[in-house]
Amino acid sequence: FFIVFYLVGYRRKTVKENLILVFPEKSDAEIKRITKNFYHHMVDMFLEMVKSISISNEELKKRFVFKNIEEIQKIRDMDKSILLACGHYASYEW
C-alpha cells in the first residue's frame, strides 16, 4: 500500500476525481478515507493473485469455512438436486 499509494501514486488523481464525481456529497476527509481504503483493497487483491500461483490445496482449504454442511448432506440423502451459490469479496481465483 505504502509504495503504490505514497511513492508511486498510481492513478491517484484519477481515483480521486472519480470518487468526487460519484460521491459529490462526501467531504474531502471522506474522499481521502475512501481513496486509501480502495488502494488497500487493490494491493490486497494483487497480492492474493500472486499468492494464488503458489498456494497449496491444504492452505487454500484453510481459508474457506463452510457452515451448515449437514443441511447439504440432508438434501443429498433425499436424492434431490443442489445448487450452491457462493459470493465473494476478494480473490475470485480462489
Side-chain angles (χ1 to χ4, degrees), residues 47-57 59-60 94:
L47 294 174
E48 284 184 7
M49 181 183 64
V50 171
K51 179 64 177 173
S52 70
I53 295 168
S54 65
I55 195 167
S56 69
N57 283 337
E59 185 64 30
L60 192 58
W94 292 5

Side-chain angles (χ1 to χ4, degrees), residues 32-79:
K32 187 174 184 178
R33 182 184 50 80
I34 294 167
T35 301
K36 284 186 174 183
N37 288 341
F38 163 76
Y39 278 94
H40 275 287
H41 180 70
M42 182 182 73
V43 170
D44 286 348
M45 291 291 296
F46 177 77
L47 294 174
E48 284 184 7
M49 181 183 64
V50 171
K51 179 64 177 173
S52 70
I53 295 168
S54 65
I55 195 167
S56 69
N57 283 337
E58 293 78 26
E59 185 64 30
L60 192 58
K61 286 177 184 177
K62 289 180 189 176
R63 297 170 189 256
F64 288 90
V65 177
F66 291 96
K67 298 179 180 179
N68 301 324
I69 296 295
E70 61 278 357
E71 294 299 320
I72 296 170
Q73 187 61 45
K74 282 182 199 175
I75 295 168
R76 197 175 115 199
D77 291 344
M78 295 183 330
D79 201 28

Side-chain angles (χ1 to χ4, degrees), residues 2-42:
F2 182 82
I3 293 169
V4 174
F5 186 76
Y6 289 107
L7 299 180
V8 177
Y10 176 72
R11 299 188 67 190
R12 277 180 65 178
K13 181 180 177 191
T14 302
V15 170
K16 184 177 180 181
E17 287 173 354
N18 286 342
L19 288 172
I20 291 169
L21 183 66
V22 174
F23 300 115
E25 75 284 356
K26 302 283 186 193
S27 68
D28 286 341
E30 289 174 305
I31 293 293
K32 187 174 184 178
R33 182 184 50 80
I34 294 167
T35 301
K36 284 186 174 183
N37 288 341
F38 163 76
Y39 278 94
H40 275 287
H41 180 70
M42 182 182 73

